[in-house]
Each structure stands twice: as structure tokens, then as C-alpha cells.
């Protein structure tokens, strides 16, 4: 039997994924010897071109307030999502794909760095320069990162991530699906507490023990 894979479907600009960040990091630490945990960029709003409307901004900030209240994760609310902001999540997702091609161990660290920059620091992570700075902060040469980020290969692989999420039937983030050989088991949908997710993983893994 092949090693089990825990597929984590998420988007770096999904606020509930930011709320779930401490949970997935704990799971990565606790289960690293038992399952491989792999990130799939789900594609929350890929290719968005229209600036946020005032109503759209208020709706998103309402979600942010909910995530903050429920999880305690930090948010930078002052001047968040300024006028003219285009909520396109493809560049941030592509940045994670790009760094994976340079150094796979930095996939989760960059994902988390993008989340922190966007939500806690109020930075515009749709901009290549900001993403390159975050990659450089992890020790990756900024020029090498930008070359990978701008490549057709990174764009195509990012789209493949989005397709994988759709084919898996994932409609919202975060989501966890455990794969054992060809069997897929939904572990959790949405921002669930650590104890709930841990119990679901253990229950799913039990037959293989």
C-alpha cells in the first residue's frame, strides 16, 4: 500500500484558510511520519479583472471579521482592500507554484508568508514585486523567483492545480481529502477546529493501521 496523502485544498487569499492556518501547521507537524500532506491551490477568484465594488468590499470585510472573531488570527483592517483593488488570487497561487519548482520545502512557508502579508500586514499580494520580496525573505533569489513566476510552465501548473480542485469536487476552502491508494475520503470542509479534524483523520486512517 502506498503512503497516504492528505490533500489540502486552499487559496492564499482565502480568509477562512488564514483562520485555518494554525490547524494545518499543527497537522503537518503531528502527522509528518504517517501521511504526506500536499497543498493544492484551489483558485478562489483566479483571473478576476474588475475592481472590488464598495458592496463587495464590505461583504469581504464582514467575512474577515467573522474569521478574526472565531479563530483569533490577526487582520489589518485599516484601509484594507483600497479603492481599485482587484481581488485576483491567481498571482499569489502562481507564486506558491513557482517556488515549489525552485525549492519544494518552501511551498508551505511561502503560502503562509503570503497569507500573513495580505491579512496581517495589509500588503497587496497580487503584485509580483511583493511576492518576490516574500520569496526573498525565505532565502530565494528574487530574480530567479520572478523568472519562474513569469514562466508559461508556472502558469500552466497553476491552472492544473485549479482543475485538480474542481475534479475533486471541492467547492469551498479550506478542504482536506485523504487519499489511500485510489480511495478518496473527505476529512473536513471549512475552517474546523483542530480536534475535529484530527479525529476525522485518525478515523479514516484506522483501517490501514
Amino acid at each position: 500500500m502506498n503512503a497516504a496523502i492528505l490533500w489540502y485544498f486552499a487559496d492564499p487569499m482565502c480568509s477562512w484558510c488564514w483562520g485555518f492556518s494554525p490547524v494545518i501547521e499543527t497537522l503537518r507537524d503531528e502527522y509528518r511520519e504517517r501521511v504526506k500532506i500536499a497543498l493544492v491551490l484551489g483558485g478562489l477568484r483566479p483571473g478576476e479583472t474588475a475592481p472590488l465594488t464598495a458592496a463587495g468590499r464590505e461583504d469581504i470585510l464582514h467575512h474577515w471579521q467573522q474569521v478574526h472573531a472565531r479563530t483569533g488570527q490577526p487582520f489589518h483592517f485599516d484601509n484594507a482592500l483600497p479603492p481599485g483593488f482587484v481581488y485576483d488570487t491567481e498571482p499569489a497561487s502562481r507564486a506558491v507554484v513557482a517556488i515549489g519548482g525552485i525549492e519544494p520545502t518552501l511551498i508551505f512557508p511561502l503560502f503562509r508568508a503570503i497569507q500573513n502579508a495580505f491579512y496581517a500586514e495589509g500588503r497587496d499580494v497580487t503584485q509580483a514585486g511583493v511576492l518576490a520580496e516574500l520569496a526573498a525573505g525565505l532565502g530565494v533569489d528574487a530574480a530567479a523567483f520572478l523568472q519562474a513566476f513569469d514562466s508559461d510552465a508556472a502558469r500552466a501548473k497553476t491552472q492544473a492545480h485549479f482543475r485538480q480542485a474542481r475534479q475533486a469536487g471541492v467547492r469551498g476552502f479550506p478542504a482536506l481529502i485523504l487519499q489511500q491508494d485510489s480511495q478518496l475520503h473527505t476529512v473536513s470542509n471549512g475552517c474546523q477546529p483542530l480536534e475535529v479534524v484530527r479525529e476525522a483523520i485518525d478515523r479514516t486512517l484506522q483501517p490501514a493501521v
Side-chain angles (χ1 to χ4, degrees):
M1 179 177 286
N2 297 321
I5 302 173
L6 184 63
W7 297 102
Y8 176 46
F9 296 85
D11 189 291
M13 296 174 71
C14 155
S15 57
W16 285 109
C17 297
W18 173 231
F20 193 68
S21 181
V23 175
I24 193 64
E25 289 304 315
T26 300
L27 295 175
R28 289 182 66 226
D29 182 55
E30 290 185 355
Y31 288 89
R32 66 176 66 250
E33 303 298 329
R34 298 176 64 192
V35 299
K36 175 185 177 182
I37 299 182
L39 176 65
V40 181
L41 286 312
L44 181 66
R45 294 166 176 252
E48 182 67 61
T49 58
L52 276 179
T53 62
R57 177 180 183 272
E58 288 305 311
D59 184 53
I60 291 171
L61 290 179
H62 175 67
H63 285 295
W64 289 15
Q65 294 282 4
Q66 287 181 311
V67 176
H68 176 64
R70 187 162 138 193
T71 69
Q73 284 287 83
F75 282 82
H76 181 92
F77 290 107
D78 292 342
N79 301 313
L81 308 174
F85 181 73
V86 178
Y87 209 120
D88 177 12
T89 69
E90 191 273 347
S93 295
R94 179 159 36 104
V96 178
V97 168
I99 209 166
I102 298 171
E103 177 47 70
T105 62
L106 295 179
I107 289 173
F108 273 97
L110 183 63
F111 184 85
R112 193 167 61 250
I114 293 171
Q115 290 179 306
N116 187 74
F118 183 52
Y119 289 110
E121 299 174 359
R123 302 182 70 188
D124 185 352
V125 296
T126 68
Q127 300 302 308
V130 173
L131 295 167
E133 276 186 43
L134 296 174
L138 296 173
V140 173
D141 178 74
F145 168 81
L146 285 172
Q147 183 176 6
F149 175 76
D150 286 329
S151 69
D152 289 339
R155 295 177 192 278
K157 191 169 184 181
T158 304
Q159 293 301 319
H161 273 254
F162 299 160
R163 284 195 301 275
Q164 182 179 346
R166 291 195 299 271
Q167 289 165 359
V170 175
R171 296 290 178 265
F173 314 110
L176 289 168
I177 294 179
L178 186 69
Q179 179 177 353
Q180 294 175 295
D181 291 320
S182 61
Q183 299 293 311
L184 297 176
H185 310 273
T186 298
V187 170
S188 69
N189 285 305
C191 184
Q192 302 292 336
L194 175 62
E195 298 74 20
V196 172
V197 182
R198 186 192 282 132
E199 181 181 334
I201 294 173
D202 291 342
R203 188 169 59 245
T204 307
L205 285 173
Q206 197 63 41
V209 174

